[in-house]
Amino acid sequence: MNNNTAEVVIIGAGIIGASVAYHLAIRGCTDVLILEKAEAPITGSTALSAGGVRHQFAREVNIHLSKYSIDRFKNFSEEVGGHADLRQTGYLFLINKEDTWAQFQEQVKLQRSLGVRVELLEARETLKYVPGIRLDDIVGATFGPDDGFCDPYGIASGYLKRARELGVRVALSTPVISAQLHGDHLVAVETPDGLVRGEFVVNACGAWSGQVAALFGIDLPVEPYRRNAYMTERFPKFPDPIPLTFDVETGFWMRKEGDSVLFGLANAAEPPGVNLNVDWEWLPEVLEAGIERFPLLEEARLAKKQCWAGLYGISPDHMPILGRHPEMPNYLHASGFSGHGVMHSPATGMLIAEEILDGRAHSINIDELRITRFRNMSVESETNVY
Ligand SMILES: Cc1cc2nc3c(=O)[nH]c(=O)nc-3n(C[C@H](O)[C@H](O)[C@H](O)COP(=O)(O)OP(=O)(O)OC[C@H]3O[C@@H](n4cnc5c(N)ncnc54)[C@H](O)[C@@H]3O)c2cc1C
């Protein structure tokens, strides 16, 4: 075997590339080569993720992706090896606007109709999960007991290790820099070490996938946006665990990470770009929103060295973009997860393997996730995003 050719070439060795490789390999397709620009695998967004998993989405297809994936995390060690460390400590959404509450109640109907356990709570009932919430304007809350968080690095390295044991190859320090096309066929990708020919090529480059698609002449609307994760020092006033708790109106979120509190809030005004420095100038806004809803937080001390920033790869409707490219059917999209790539990685790996090996994904209908949706006049967005 050399690294100049493979049946399937996967670009990107994050959780998505690793899951696609694993799902191909367990179906007997082991002539797979992952090309990764970094010196080590799993150094992109996967390593910088907060690892949240949830069923509470507004769009049915997202709920299917979550249900399937979270079930697979439960038996990850037995199935794949390694560890997913799934902790189903719940997601709690606090809502303070009547119209948002009406939307959430509709979403809960949909979630329940698909077999998801979700509770509708009155304001004061939320205190059994998180102490000291300011409740005067809360009109309701939802709690998903089967949501929680997992270990993204453990999952990605588990998939990658098993895939390698089955014969998948990984070429590190090997960026894809260009491509050789013949009509609507992607013949080879180019790296500094030369051309790599693949019958199929999967773009699993996360926040960089738009840039990589452009090398193939494809307009993939996925852009990198910075997300900060701030951490406090030990803070026992919030017990461990608390659910991953969102103040829906502001988007402030927090959960326990060991004895500390991990928290964040997206800066909607920040333009796209690759910036991995923690945004300290944004922190006062985050703290203001957090302390306003959770006054106890004022007593916590920031653990500056434990804070980090990473990238979301965001699509225009906050939904993943999956499947074969219509005008170049041997090139496949697997990106645009908009902050949910870890929790949707098992389903994505399985579905992309189906696209390649069976001609079309069939375990979950991904037609509304295909890139062709952006050619329509109106695209329905996932609204439950932060
Ligand atoms: C702060 C933060 C919190 C998050 N919280 C959550 C959460 O709670 N739950 C959740 O599900 N998700 C969360 N996410 C999102 C999640 O991390 C991503 O959706 C997921 O990791 C995407 O995986 P990936 O494999 O597609 O991308 P990555 O892990 O980024 O992997 C892509 C790989 O492609 C490589 N690459 C790029 N360009 C090239 C090239 N030209 N040639 C070769 N290789 C290339 C990169 O080096 C990288 O290794 C969070 C992200 C951040 C930053």
Side-chain angles (χ1 to χ4, degrees), residues 12 14-16 36-37 45-46 48-50 52 176 311 339-343:
I15 201 165
I16 297 299
E36 168 56 51
K37 72 174 177 183
S45 300
T46 300
L48 299 167
S49 170
V176 169
L311 300 172
H340 313 120
V342 167
M343 69 180 88

Side-chain angles (χ1 to χ4, degrees), residues 18 72 192 203 258 305:
R72 292 274 301 278
N203 180 350
K305 289 191 178 152

Side-chain angles (χ1 to χ4, degrees), residues 10-19 34-54 57 73 91 148-150 152 156 171 173-178 190-191 203-209 211-212 215 225-230 244 246 253 255 262 276 308-313 334-345:
I10 298 170
I11 315 172
I15 201 165
I16 297 299
S19 175
I34 304 180
L35 303 176
E36 168 56 51
K37 72 174 177 183
E39 289 172 10
I42 321 169
T43 52
S45 300
T46 300
L48 299 167
S49 170
V53 302
R54 62 170 156 124
F57 280 101
F73 289 149
Y91 261 56
F149 63 97
C150 63
S173 304
T174 310
V176 169
I177 50 174
S178 181
E190 189 181 343
T191 76
N203 180 350
C205 288
W208 298 270
S209 57
Q211 286 173 17
V212 170
L215 301 174
Y225 284 88
R226 175 167 60 168
R227 290 292 182 267
N228 301 280
Y230 303 99
L244 198 148
F246 276 99
W253 61 269
R255 72 161 162 83
L262 180 65
L276 294 174
W308 76 87
L311 300 172
Y312 275 18
S335 68
F337 294 94
S338 306
H340 313 120
V342 167
M343 69 180 88
H344 290 161
S345 58

